[in-house]
Amino acid sequence: RAIRAAGKTVELRARDVCLSACPYMLAGGTERRVADGGRVGIHQHYFGENTLLPAFLAVQGIQRGQAEVMRYLSDMGVDPMVLVPGLATPPQSLYILTPDEMIEASLSTG
């Protein structure tokens, strides 16, 4: 939101890599450009292992976080459906979005 409030364009060059939480910073740009060869990767949200936190509380926290991210993406003009491949990708892996997926979801605007 700070990137958007500052009116900044976010641009990934051909060899740039934007993974995990970085795509949320990309989404904040007033314009979002990903050059051919730039890579944007997403995965499931997760908590680190914690034997003191019951599973149901971890799941609640993850779902609450996902709802906040979906709301944020929508506020930034990005289709939250861009998250679907990431929700199916384990946190130790990455799903690299295609240029068409980024354009279709407005994660890349030009």
Side-chain angles (χ1 to χ4, degrees):
R1 291 188 189 278
I3 292 169
R4 179 61 58 91
K8 300 291 184 180
T9 294
V10 178
E11 185 168 356
L12 273 70
R13 297 165 297 191
R15 293 189 175 136
D16 289 344
V17 178
C18 180
L19 307 174
S20 196
C22 178
Y24 305 131
M25 292 186 287
L26 174 63
T30 54
E31 291 186 51
R32 302 172 289 276
R33 300 183 190 130
V34 180
D36 288 340
R39 298 177 60 189
V40 177
I42 57 177
H43 59 73
Q44 294 172 347
H45 296 175
Y46 69 98
F47 278 115
E49 288 188 35
N50 182 339
T51 57
L52 300 176
L53 185 64
F56 76 93
L57 290 177
V59 170
Q60 287 176 356
I62 289 168
Q63 289 179 338
R64 183 174 36 257
Q66 288 171 331
E68 290 173 13
V69 167
M70 292 175 75
R71 188 174 303 111
Y72 165 75
L73 291 174
S74 182
D75 290 349
M76 296 298 113
V78 176
D79 184 352
M81 291 299 289
V82 75
L83 295 176
V84 170
L87 293 174
T89 303
Q92 65 274 17
S93 299
L94 287 163
Y95 178 88
I96 303 299
L97 294 164
T98 68
D100 287 342
E101 288 171 324
M102 289 186 279
I103 290 169
E104 184 177 313
S106 297
L107 185 58
S108 177
T109 58

